[in-house]
Amino acid sequence: MSDNPSTPQDDADRVGNIRLKRLAKLQNPTSTTPSTSGSPASTPSISPAPQTVSKPSPKPVAPSPKPKPVETPPASSTPPRKFKVPAKLDLSSWEHETITSVLKVTLERPVAEQSSYDYVWLKGLATEIESEEPGKPLPRLNGNLLDRLLIARFEIDPQTMTDDLEYLPVLASLPPQQTIFEFLVGCWKRINAARTALIKKGYPPVETQDALTRLEKMRELIVSYAGLTLQEPEMFPQPQGREIGPSELVAPLLSLSALSAPLLSSPTSSNTLGPSDIEQFLQDLAHRFEPDNELDGVLAPVVRALLFHPSLFRTEGLGGGDASWRGVVSGLEALVSVKAIATMITRMEEWNPDNVPAPAFEVKSLMGPLLRLNVFSREWPGIAQTYFSDPDKRSREDVESSYASLRGTLKSLQNSLFQVFNTLVRASPGAREAVLQYFTKVISLNAKRAGMQVDPATVSSDGFMVNLQVILYRFAEPFMDASYSKIDKIDPFYIARSKRIDIAEETRIKATSEEAAKWAEEMSTGPTPNFISDIFYLTIAMSHYGYQKTIQNYTDLAKVMDDIQRQLDFLNGDGSWMGSPLQARTEAAINNVKNQQSKVRSAQLAYEAQLLDPELIFRSIGFTNFLGTWLIRQVDPKKTHPNPTVELPLPRDVPMAFRVLPEYIVEDIVDYLHFSTNHAPDKFELSGKNELLIFVLTFLTSTWYIKNPFLKSKINDVLFMGTWGYGRERNGILGNLLHSHPLALKHLMPALMHFYIEVEQTGASSQFYDKFNARRNIAFVLKVIWDNPSHREALNREAKNVDKFVRFVNLMINDVTYLLDESRSELIQIHNIQEEMEDKETWNSKPQEYRREREGTLRSLERHASSYIVLGRSTVELLKVFTAETKQPFMMPEIIDRLAAMLDYNLVALVGPRYQELKVKDAQKLRFDPRALLSDIIQVFLNLSDQPEFVRAIANDGRSYSKELFEAAERIAIKRGLKTEAELEKLRMLTAMVEEAKLVIEAEEDLGEVPDEFLDPLMFTVMKDPVILPSSKITIDRPTIKSHLLSDSKDPFNRSPLAIEDVVPNTELRERIETFLAERRQQKKPTEHESMDVST
């Protein structure tokens, strides 16, 4: 028996030779001259040993010693042990019997008859052999006959007709509808049984090994034919109506999952592969065909049939009673468990197909159909309809039960998918690269997903992208250890040294495209990035183009629900359509909208089943915080963060390696923290709070590291949302940390004040409105931390920077002025519309179109008013607490008059003669609490009542102040119990002091005619410190221009850039004004003395 290895082509040629070239499908035939032994001259590698087997030479027998008399041993002695001598193995007989039982064939008719034709009589082959050596008996079955035995068996077609009556029993006894592959599987299983039985016999080792070698040669030959049959199933006669070829191996692969198999399925037969057989059979196929690069031809069709199985395209997806997809997963796991097959899969053309658009990629790439399985309603509407139908009627327990069921299924799928990819990565360097290229291709195909307006039909599905995100998270876990010991293995120059991710068109954190291109060119040389770096950056990109967009799709559904609710409110109106001819049409429209509302809500719940899965959230938070820590490490001058923690604020010089990073890295961190703090704050209880706080503080204290003002504002939003209460945590995720973390105690207050000022100018067209939201959030956070003495001490330290603090105070006053004024305007309009609607008779007489228009206006006013009221109230509260803690900055000349005028003006609105106009129905709905607002404004008056400058500023307000105004405020405060008696007494004293100051001011300001050149051009008051503006050359009072520059850095007369340091004192004019004032005062003095004399 030859030991030279054969190839699958040799096997095919051998079949062709033996069948006298009847099988035209096989090419390149070799010599067909039969040998004297009946086997082809070209001996295959998978052939049995020669018929003549050399036996070990017996040992020479020593002469027998002279026998000694037998002595009877003592009764107490132990009888000698008897050792069992291993039986000898008759290899020729054993081989004959084994081939007969394994192939179930014989050359002798009596043997077939004795087995009731369980052994197939190969009459044709027997006749052929007899004709080759006439007169000789038929040989025993041996390895040299294996090829001819198998082919003779293959060629028997039970469906053919024959006139040979003695051969009819053979055809009749053949297994019905048995395919060639099933026959070979039966042979393969019987070989395994024969091997086990042989080992158990305990034959001498040399003989056992010889027999095992012959068995393995027989196994290889059978496996060769099994592989050829999978490739060319019609090579031999096959039963009609049976699926043959690759599907014959797909079926046992699908049966590996118990959940995918039908209930009460029949046990595995002797001719089919059972779950315990699959792995060994696949290993045998790989061992036989991989060395000659023929594995692709054998198993690639099987892989295609498995991974494009119809069960993966059912509309029910993961839901429903059919779990056939589990069989696909289990079959794939079995395939990739063999490294050669795993590598082969990544070589297939369908692994990473070219020229395929994103939507088709997930159905045409091998892994796509499995990866797209999920619960999202656009691709799998059946899941939302089945698990979340009639959402308004479902109890919370019912919804949670559906969540648990779907999440369990998703976990099973995603765990298996990761194991498959992980096995592929470990199979070979080529397979690893193919997996990375697959991830890269998905990212490049889905660049559009990150856009604002995306047509879902042009990109991959949410389920496909989220499953890949989970897989990448799992790959990232090994280098995200708690001690960050592997963080420096991530290449910070990856985007310059790797072409996997194309970021040429992406906005950078703080670099122009030219700067980024120059940096990439300079850093392009260096070591090839490692696998850790590949996974790290691919995970970031997959999140940006995939996962984050899925989250956005989910949050967009909330906006759709709001729109639907507004439409319902519009249709319902005031109910005047009821009983009218329009009732039927209106009711139909309302029902239609409600059905739409139900569908959207079902879709929301389906999204939540995946996106709010605790396991996914934990992984997402873990990677997000790791990424944030890595980012801070890049800007840490010592490159040691988080051990020890970075020192804040950061240096002014921003490292170029950080500046050129894609802006979406920071944006995605912030967006996911925004999502998770809003929807799953409890998931931060185990870990993530510290990382979240440090990330926020780092970039709020050093805002110059980020160019995008909206991104900075989002960071501020995350801090704000981190203080929202949830469950039993009254202060939210970060509330307690803000009171204890050293970085927060030192840097939070200055960071918030700095950002409060910075957000005034964002450069965007919407900056005027954007700033109010940002400042509302800041005010909320300040309210949370205000009772902490450490934070108040930090405020006092900041107040020592007078210029900065004065600007901060000025912006607060501006905000209060605008927001309360807008609130009042909106409330008055709401009041008027509600008054109009109260007059039912007049209202019903109006045309329906008019009524609907007014109702729409009312709803719009209510939305706007609510926003203004909340923002205004939060700013007043901020003003209240700040004036209680630090007063001197509020007394600056450029601040004090505007502060007093603003407070007086709003006091008029709340207690003046027209305060009734602010009365609206359901004020709580608008969050309007006039009592609380009045109490806060009075408190600001009380906080500053001991400051002479403030008293004088109130008295100087000729537009709004009056003694009657303060008395009215006192009466309401008493009536509503807003203040204590001590506080009311303080308010009375303030009123008295203001009245005294008013008399003094009136006396001082009686200057008569004042020259125009002495008057401030904006305020029309006598200038005290005139200065010349450098560009417009206008002279203005220094406090006036300082107040202007607090809000606007431009010259008010020609809009040129201006700083207070640029103004030029007008000393000459100042001296003239002082002389003028002195003269006028001097002129008044004699008159006073004279009047005194007259009175005397």
Side-chain angles (χ1 to χ4, degrees), residues 308 348-357 360-367 438 441 445:
F308 296 120
M348 294 174 62
E349 183 180 353
E350 296 90 344
W351 169 257
N352 201 357
D354 294 325
N355 302 319
V356 176
F361 189 81
E362 64 185 64
V363 295
K364 291 189 176 181
S365 66
L366 283 177
M367 294 300 299
Y438 186 84
K441 175 67 75 68
L445 288 175

Side-chain angles (χ1 to χ4, degrees), residues 571-583 586 843-844 846 848 851-852 855:
L571 289 172
N572 283 315
D574 59 358
S576 59
W577 49 268
M578 298 180 70
S580 72
L582 296 175
Q583 179 170 346
T586 306
W843 176 253
N844 291 332
K846 301 287 186 182
Q848 185 177 14
R851 296 200 303 268
R852 286 193 171 182
E855 288 168 354

Side-chain angles (χ1 to χ4, degrees), residues 487-534:
I487 195 169
D488 286 330
K489 292 181 182 287
I490 298 169
D491 187 353
F493 308 112
Y494 182 90
I495 60 176
R497 296 172 180 171
S498 173
K499 303 302 180 186
R500 292 197 193 280
I501 305 171
D502 182 8
I503 59 170
E505 301 300 320
E506 294 291 345
T507 304
R508 309 306 174 98
I509 293 177
K510 197 180 173 64
T512 64
S513 56
E514 292 77 15
E515 289 173 330
K518 181 181 178 182
W519 177 86
E521 184 178 353
E522 293 172 352
M523 298 298 170
S524 58
T525 57
T528 302
N530 54 29
F531 183 69
I532 288 178
S533 298
D534 281 325

Side-chain angles (χ1 to χ4, degrees), residues 135-156:
K136 287 189 177 182
L138 287 169
R140 286 189 169 190
L141 304 188
N142 58 69
N144 289 335
L145 289 174
L146 270 176
D147 268 320
R148 301 178 72 181
L149 292 169
L150 282 169
I151 293 173
R153 172 63 181 84
F154 294 158
E155 290 182 330
I156 299 175

Side-chain angles (χ1 to χ4, degrees), residues 801-937:
N801 184 345
V802 177
D803 288 342
K804 180 180 178 181
F805 196 81
V806 164
R807 190 175 179 196
F808 171 71
V809 169
N810 177 73
L811 294 174
M812 274 199 297
I813 295 171
N814 289 349
D815 289 352
V816 171
T817 301
Y818 174 79
L819 292 169
L820 294 186
D821 200 39
E822 288 297 308
S823 302
R824 183 164 49 254
S825 173
E826 303 283 322
L827 287 170
I828 290 172
Q829 294 182 67
I830 292 171
H831 170 82
N832 293 338
I833 294 177
Q834 289 178 344
E835 286 287 309
E836 182 182 1
M837 295 171 68
E838 275 294 301
D839 185 351
K840 295 294 184 182
E841 184 176 347
T842 306
W843 176 253
N844 291 332
S845 67
K846 301 287 186 182
Q848 185 177 14
E849 190 62 31
Y850 172 83
R851 296 200 303 268
R852 286 193 171 182
E853 180 182 344
R854 295 292 280 169
E855 288 168 354
T857 302
L858 177 61
R859 285 191 292 271
S860 177
L861 288 169
E862 288 174 343
R863 286 196 302 272
H864 293 160
S866 176
S867 177
Y868 286 134
I869 289 167
V870 170
L871 293 170
R873 175 71 193 286
S874 64
T875 312
V876 171
E877 288 180 341
L878 198 60
L879 195 61
K880 178 183 71 174
V881 296
F882 273 40
T883 52
E885 184 65 26
T886 180
K887 302 177 183 181
Q888 197 55 42
F890 293 91
M891 299 301 110
M892 299 298 291
E894 57 268 34
I895 293 294
I896 187 62
D897 289 334
R898 295 182 60 247
L899 173 62
M902 180 272 293
L903 293 171
D904 290 341
Y905 180 72
N906 284 288
L907 201 60
V908 171
L910 291 171
V911 302
R914 300 179 60 184
Y915 78 93
Q916 293 287 348
E917 294 179 349
L918 301 181
K919 284 191 175 181
V920 294
K921 289 182 178 179
D922 198 4
Q924 291 182 347
K925 175 184 174 182
L926 302 177
R927 301 182 183 179
F928 179 49
D929 187 349
R931 299 179 188 177
L933 181 59
L934 175 61
S935 177
D936 287 346
I937 289 177

